[in-house]
């Protein structure tokens, strides 16, 4: 393909010269509804609730609904940053492209690394859960405890979703739509069953209390309030996938940003409403199906399914499985497009910038992301499942890093336009910067917590394994950036003269 560029529209009031290289992706194939759906599916809302709700309750008790709202606030502020930056530069590289334009090549490279790193590590978690839940549905469920079977199944799921993404965005959208319908219909049935049981007088339930939204009570123990907010903060991660497919969306400078904000609001509504229903029915007690029961913390829905749905309890297992699989597919999307953009702009070798001619997808980048996720998952599964678990906990560091970087990039990139209107001041300056500051604080608070050897399941040299794995993986990005600085194919990116080619295509 030619090295054409397009100038972003919709960025009125922003700095000029925001040219976006054309990459050969299939333009205009997704509409606003598709964009919102991708944003919702990427967060794996059913699985996120199942796996996180019990942990938040263990820390915050009855104040869990408020904590879910508070965790949403910095996410919303960063969603505005994504929207504003996308209006000026609708490039599928998102954080990489925007950070580079705001702060230079090194910040851009590390921002891109943060996106890719979070995606690869979380794919290992999703594969593990998908493998376990599939075998929970088959036979007596005993194979869900077989490490070899679960790992092999997880690898097959990653390979299949990589193939789906490789074959085309429209195929991926169709698969995603089916999985999204399955998980939301199943979750809706689950919620309706709870409502019917509550209306019929759940014998051990608890009535709604406005005290659950009392900030004074939630932060009576500041440490618990902050810890819970950090847990809540990261269950929202994933809505930015709709920005990574901006070049394949109708009106790329406006539609993806709207999709991101809409999906963020829908997510908080789902999380808070379902949390309220589950709390009212199961209570936050420590016995039986109570959300405070340590035996239920890893998956509150699995503990409740038979009590709520009876012989139809398998529906919630299907919902979690569909949620995990849809998130697996939509996690590969942004990581592959991020490295595609890095290849196009010269930050990675040109091979990463190749787009498959027929499929119009980032062929090589998609394959690399799939292989990297498989290698990481298999290696960690057989080296240490506990270390795998702790490295997944470290995802919070990667997310906070690249979200905060995006917020700071927004404020800095648009700094000359902030005085032009109240809208610019708030949505390009105050809110993104406030979100970035909150996430920076979250980064360091999480790091301090992870330093404690009692945090998580492993310790290395007397330090928490989650901290060590998080720092090592982030530091690996610095090492790789230095390597790319001296590679003949990428050094021009770092010297301020990025490669002129906007991308290449391959036929197969």
């Amino acid at each position: 393909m030619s090295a054409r560029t397009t100038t972003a529209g919709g960025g009125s009031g922003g700095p000029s010269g925001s040219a976006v290289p054309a990459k050969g992706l299939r333009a205009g194939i997704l509409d606003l509804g598709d964009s919102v759906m991708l944003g919702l599916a990427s967060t794996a809302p059913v699985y996120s609730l199942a796996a996180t709700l019990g942990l938040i309750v263990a820390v915050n008790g009855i104040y869990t609904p408020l904590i879910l709202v508070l965790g949403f606030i910095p996410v919303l502020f960063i969603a505005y940053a994504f929207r504003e930056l996308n209006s000026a530069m609708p490039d599928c590289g998102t954080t990489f492209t925007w950070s580079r334009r705001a702060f230079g090549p090194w910040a851009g490279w590390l921002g891109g690394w943060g996106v890719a790193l979070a995606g690869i590590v979380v794919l290992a978690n999703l594969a593990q859960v998908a493998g376990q839940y599939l075998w929970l549905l088959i036979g007596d469920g005993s194979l869900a405890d077989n490490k070899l079977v679960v790992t092999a199944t997880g690898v097959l799921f990653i390979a299949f979703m990589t193939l789906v993404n490789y074959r085309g965005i429209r195929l991926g959208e169709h698969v995603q739509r089916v999985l999204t319908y399955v998980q939301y219909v199943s979750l809706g049935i689950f919620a309706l069953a709870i409502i019917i049981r509550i209306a019929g007088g759940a014998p051990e339930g608890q009535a709604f209390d406005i005290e659950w939204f009392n900030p004074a009570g939630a932060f009576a123990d500041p440490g618990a309030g902050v810890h819970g907010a950090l847990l809540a903060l990261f269950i929202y991660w994933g809505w930015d996938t709709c920005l990574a497919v901006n070049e394949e969306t109708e009106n790329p400078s406006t539609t993806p940003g709207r999709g991101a904000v809409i999906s963020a609001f829908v997510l908080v509504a789902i999380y808070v409403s379902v949390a309220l229903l589950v709390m009212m029915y199961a209570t936050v007690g420590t016995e039986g199906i109570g959300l405070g029961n340590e035996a239920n913390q890893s998956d509150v829905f699995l503990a409740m399914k038979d009590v709520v749905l009876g012989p139809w309890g398998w529906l919630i297992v299907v919902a979690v499985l569909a949620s995990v699989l849809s998130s697996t597919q939509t996690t590969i999307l942004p990581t592959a497009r991020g490295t595609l953009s890095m290849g196009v702009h010269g930050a990675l070798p040109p091979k990463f910038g190749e787009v498959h001619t027929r499929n119009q997808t980032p062929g090589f980048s998609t394959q690399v992301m799939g292989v990297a996720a498989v290698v990481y998952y298999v290696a960690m599964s057989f080296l240490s499942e506990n270390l795998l678990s702790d490295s997944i906990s470290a995802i919070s560091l990667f997310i906070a890093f690249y979200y905060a970087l995006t917020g700071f990039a927004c404020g800095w990139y648009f700094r000359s336009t902030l005085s032009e209107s109240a809208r610019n001041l708030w949505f390009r300056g105050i809110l993104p910067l406030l979100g970035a500051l909150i996430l920076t604080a979250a980064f360091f608070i999480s790091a301090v917590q992870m330093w404690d050897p009692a945090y998580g399941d492993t310790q290395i040299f007397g330090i928490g394994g989650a901290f060590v794995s998080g720092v090592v993986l982030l530091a690996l990005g610095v090492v790789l950036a230095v390597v790319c600085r001296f590679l003949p194919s990428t050094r021009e990116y770092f010297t301020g003269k990025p490669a002129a080619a906007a991308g290449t295509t391959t036929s197969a």
Side-chain angles (χ1 to χ4, degrees):
M1 60 170 285
S2 63
R4 294 178 293 108
T5 61
T6 58
T7 301
S12 58
S16 60
S18 303
V20 176
K23 302 176 182 67
L25 298 169
R26 190 174 181 184
I29 193 65
L30 304 174
D31 58 20
L32 179 60
D34 297 327
S35 185
V36 172
M37 183 191 64
L38 287 173
L40 292 175
S42 297
T43 60
V46 179
Y47 170 65
S48 295
L49 274 172
T52 309
L53 190 57
L55 297 175
I56 299 176
V57 168
V59 177
N60 301 101
I62 62 172
Y63 301 105
T64 293
L66 174 63
I67 294 299
L68 289 171
V69 174
L70 294 177
F72 169 70
I73 293 174
V75 171
L76 177 63
F77 293 170
I78 296 302
Y80 286 131
F82 271 79
R83 185 187 68 180
E84 295 302 310
L85 285 165
N86 182 76
S87 71
M89 295 172 282
D91 190 297
C92 65
T94 61
T95 296
F96 156 72
T97 304
W98 304 331
S99 300
R100 170 178 170 260
R101 290 298 299 270
F103 300 125
W106 288 93
W109 206 101
L110 293 176
W113 171 249
V115 175
L117 184 59
I120 291 171
V121 175
V122 81
L123 279 171
N125 177 42
L126 295 172
Q128 179 89 345
V129 174
Q132 290 173 337
Y133 270 75
L134 176 65
W135 293 108
L136 282 174
L137 288 170
I138 299 175
D140 61 1
S142 60
L143 286 176
D145 297 321
N146 186 308
K147 178 164 61 172
L148 181 61
V149 171
V150 168
T151 302
T153 305
V155 168
L156 289 176
F157 278 136
I158 293 176
F160 175 71
M161 289 306 179
T162 300
L163 177 62
V164 168
N165 285 319
Y166 179 81
R167 291 298 300 272
I169 188 70
R170 179 50 74 193
L171 173 62
E173 189 272 333
H174 289 329
V175 171
Q176 194 58 240
R177 192 173 294 274
V178 171
L179 292 172
T180 300
Y181 288 158
V182 168
Q183 66 173 307
Y184 279 104
V185 169
S186 301
L187 181 63
I189 293 172
F190 181 70
L192 180 61
I194 292 178
I195 292 172
I196 292 173
R197 290 180 178 276
I198 291 174
E204 298 181 359
Q206 59 186 117
F208 172 80
D209 192 337
I210 195 65
E211 172 65 20
W212 298 350
F213 291 91
N214 180 5
F219 285 89
D221 179 354
V226 171
H227 186 189
L230 288 173
L231 288 171
L233 176 64
F234 299 110
I235 68 173
Y236 293 101
W237 173 57
W239 50 264
D240 49 310
T241 292
C242 52
L243 278 301
V245 294
N246 48 16
E247 296 185 51
E248 295 150 280
T249 306
E250 296 175 354
N251 302 313
S253 62
T254 56
T255 299
R258 291 172 183 167
V261 174
I262 291 171
S263 61
F265 274 109
V266 172
L267 282 170
V268 72
I270 291 172
Y271 286 151
V272 174
S273 59
V274 173
L276 286 171
L277 287 174
V278 172
M279 281 179 60
M280 291 171 66
Y281 181 73
T283 79
V284 296
T286 57
E287 302 294 331
I289 63 172
L291 302 182
N293 188 338
E294 288 187 9
N296 303 337
Q297 286 179 11
S298 62
D299 192 331
V300 295
F301 290 170
L302 199 60
M304 296 176 61
K305 66 181 181 66
D306 293 329
V307 176
V308 175
L309 296 172
W312 293 90
W314 55 270
L315 272 176
I316 202 65
V317 179
V318 170
V320 173
L321 179 59
S323 180
V324 170
L325 289 177
S326 67
S327 185
T328 300
Q329 182 201 339
T330 51
T331 297
I332 296 171
L333 279 175
T335 52
R337 279 152 181 78
T339 51
L340 167 73
S341 183
M342 292 178 76
V344 166
H345 288 282
L348 288 176
K351 188 73 175 174
F352 283 89
E354 292 182 351
V355 171
H356 193 287
T357 303
R358 184 177 66 255
N359 298 336
Q360 293 181 284
T361 59
F364 181 75
S365 286
T366 300
Q367 293 172 346
V368 168
M369 289 303 107
V371 170
V374 166
V375 170
Y376 181 81
Y377 172 46
V378 172
M380 296 300 287
S381 293
F382 288 97
L383 284 175
S384 170
E385 285 195 357
N386 288 335
L387 190 57
L388 171 63
S389 175
D390 280 349
S391 69
I392 291 167
S393 298
I395 292 173
S396 63
L397 299 179
F398 313 147
I399 301 167
F401 170 73
Y402 87 82
Y403 272 8
L405 183 60
T406 304
F408 287 126
C410 183
W412 185 253
Y413 182 77
F414 289 113
R415 65 191 183 281
S416 63
T417 72
L418 301 183
S419 61
E420 294 179 359
S421 67
R423 181 201 177 282
N424 284 359
L425 178 63
W426 281 99
F427 290 106
R428 294 180 171 182
I430 294 175
L431 297 182
L433 290 174
L434 185 57
L437 289 172
I438 293 173
L439 286 166
T440 300
F443 179 94
F444 287 105
I445 291 172
S446 294
V448 169
Q449 291 175 343
M450 291 176 187
W451 178 277
D452 187 344
Y455 186 100
D457 300 316
T458 61
Q459 57 176 290
I460 301 172
F461 303 120
I463 302 171
F467 177 88
V468 173
S469 60
V471 169
V472 167
L473 290 172
L474 280 173
L476 178 60
V478 178
V479 174
L480 293 175
V482 171
V483 171
C484 288
R485 165 63 179 82
F486 294 100
L487 282 178
S489 61
T490 54
R491 63 188 176 195
E492 289 183 344
Y493 165 81
F494 292 92
T495 59
K497 295 181 293 183
T504 59
T505 58
T506 56
S507 58

